[in-house]
Amino acid sequence: MPEQWRVRNVSQTLDAFDALPVEPMERKRELRVLVESAAVRHWTWQMRFALHFGLTPMILIATFPASLVWFFGSERARYGIFACAATLVLASIWETALFRTLGARVFFLLPAGLGAYFWVMMVRASSNSGHKSVIALVGMVILVFVSIPVLFYLSRKYARSARVRCHPHDFLLISAVLAAGVVGRGRDKWRSTLFVRNAHGALEALAVRAHLSLALKGRVDVLDFGLRRELRLEAQRVAASIRSLKSTISTASGPESVDRVLESLINGIEAIAKIDRQALLDGAPPLPSGVSRLRAAAARILPGAVLVGAAFLVPLIPAIAANGHVASTVRWTLLVTGVTWIVSASSEATGRVGDVLGKVLPFK
């Protein structure tokens, strides 16, 4: 099964590349060899642990003892299993928090909210509630002392193999080819809003991948702050250059506009395939100053922070505190809305606080 997935994903990448209008043919053949090599390396080694864990009986190493705890453990143990599962899902999709799209951020917030809820419920649950047995204890011992160490060892083993054989640009090259494929297939659909949204999603995914891959964190010592910062800023510049293509797609006046974006992506594919970092940085816009970024971050976070602060202060108003149910509803509504507003970069905090107050205050 993992081999089938590997072959399918490599073929999908090559099909997307073959459809690109790369000229002359010698250039296309040269790039195709590099793209194929990167795709094979990525899906053979970089994704080896994920494919084996998800598509082979290896998953039973974790799910079997967890199911014993779930079926035979206490209420606290069941909430703990759910909380750990939600946290693991959140850790596996943390990159979606970097996407500047509402759908991706909502997708990130869902397991985050569920994880927080389950952790709170686990703490509040009674350890004596529910049926407990020796089977649940055995499952917990296996999970903690066998499953987790074994999976950690295997993940590190596969990661070492990937570091030896793969390059950080491999996944970036695959992402660039797939993004170019999305844009190229929609060349004659430039009027379609659906195409524009799909192209935006593909370009955003590529920008996030550039932000992560070009930072080269795995190649720099954690204490070399200067070099890490330099590489991170360069990666952010390339990501900003990719995001700037969204404007051309949105304001396209004909297939020629899409062609310009496609040509830029093809040049980027060549630079990534040949590991030409300078070519990627040529033409990339300079980043805003530190003060400008700080102001932008404050403008995004402040409205949500107001809502979070209101979540703890508004329930203390006597008219609300007199009703415990209403106070709890107000607190959670403001807290969840505040966190959502921070993530979605909205600025309607004052209106939201007023709406909540209008629903619960008797004199409104």
Side-chain angles (χ1 to χ4, degrees):
M1 184 69 74
E3 179 65 18
Q4 294 175 355
W5 273 74
R6 185 188 71 82
V7 172
R8 188 180 72 174
N9 284 287
V10 171
S11 299
Q12 181 182 11
T13 303
L14 293 177
D15 289 343
F17 178 81
D18 290 338
L20 298 179
V22 181
E23 295 180 353
M25 189 55 64
E26 291 78 9
R27 179 193 185 197
K28 186 167 188 175
R29 282 196 292 265
E30 179 186 7
L31 288 180
R32 192 183 192 280
V33 172
L34 297 175
V35 169
E36 183 177 11
S37 299
V40 170
R41 287 194 301 266
H42 177 74
W43 289 107
T44 302
W45 299 106
Q46 194 68 45
M47 297 299 295
R48 187 180 180 188
F49 177 76
L51 292 178
H52 277 76
F53 180 76
L55 301 175
T56 69
M58 184 190 293
I59 195 173
L60 296 176
I61 297 176
T63 57
F64 176 69
S67 64
L68 294 180
V69 178
W70 164 255
F71 285 110
F72 300 100
S74 64
E75 181 184 14
R76 174 173 290 181
R78 289 194 291 272
Y79 277 123
I81 292 295
F82 270 128
C84 291
T87 303
L88 290 174
V89 171
L90 188 65
S92 66
I93 64 169
W94 70 270
E95 296 177 3
T96 58
L98 301 176
F99 281 64
R100 299 180 183 178
T101 59
L102 180 60
R105 294 189 175 182
V106 170
F107 180 69
F108 177 80
L109 281 175
L110 182 59
L114 288 175
Y117 170 78
F118 287 132
W119 281 115
V120 170
M121 295 304 296
M122 187 195 73
V123 173
R124 296 178 60 181
S126 172
S127 60
N128 297 320
S129 61
H131 176 65
K132 294 188 294 184
S133 69
V134 176
I135 298 178
L137 180 60
V138 170
M140 183 64 71
V141 171
I142 295 175
L143 185 64
V144 174
F145 295 103
V146 178
S147 299
I148 294 177
V150 167
L151 291 175
F152 179 78
Y153 168 76
L154 292 175
S155 67
R156 300 309 301 169
K157 178 182 177 181
Y158 289 165
R160 284 194 297 269
S161 299
R163 284 197 296 270
V164 171
R165 295 171 173 86
C166 301
H167 192 279
H169 287 187
D170 289 345
F171 194 11
L172 177 58
L173 180 57
I174 295 170
S175 300
V177 170
L178 296 179
V182 172
V183 174
R185 287 192 299 271
R187 179 183 183 277
D188 297 326
K189 303 177 183 178
W190 59 273
R191 295 184 180 87
S192 169
T193 300
L194 179 61
F195 159 68
V196 172
R197 298 298 295 270
N198 289 339
H200 280 194
L203 292 173
E204 182 63 30
L206 177 57
V208 171
R209 178 46 47 194
H211 183 181
L212 297 173
S213 297
L214 295 176
L216 301 176
K217 289 184 178 180
R219 295 191 162 206
V220 182
D221 190 87
V222 294
L223 296 181
D224 195 345
F225 302 114
L227 180 56
R228 290 174 72 91
R229 181 176 184 275
E230 177 185 347
L231 295 176
R232 184 179 67 252
L233 293 178
E234 289 180 352
Q236 291 175 359
R237 287 180 58 198
V238 176
S241 178
I242 295 169
R243 288 190 173 100
S244 68
L245 299 176
K246 293 181 182 180
S247 176
T248 305
I249 293 290
S250 297
T251 59
S253 57
E256 296 78 12
S257 301
V258 180
D259 289 340
R260 290 197 299 272
V261 174
L262 193 56
E263 181 181 1
S264 178
L265 290 174
I266 291 174
N267 292 335
I269 289 172
E270 183 173 18
I272 297 167
K274 296 181 177 180
I275 315 181
D276 189 349
R277 191 179 184 92
Q278 188 56 49
L280 291 173
L281 291 171
D282 289 342
L287 292 175
S289 65
V291 175
S292 299
R293 293 199 301 271
L294 183 61
R295 289 176 178 172
R300 188 190 72 182
I301 294 174
L302 185 59
V306 171
L307 283 169
V308 173
F312 296 97
L313 297 178
V314 171
L316 299 180
I317 297 175
I320 299 176
N323 189 323
H325 175 71
V326 171
S328 177
T329 301
V330 171
R331 180 180 295 108
W332 280 104
T333 300
L334 289 173
L335 188 60
V336 172
T337 305
V339 172
T340 303
W341 246 243
I342 291 175
V343 175
S344 61
S346 179
S347 59
E348 301 179 3
T350 304
R352 292 288 174 173
V353 174
D355 291 344
V356 174
L357 288 174
K359 294 177 181 178
V360 300
L361 289 179
F363 49 80
K364 284 284 185 180

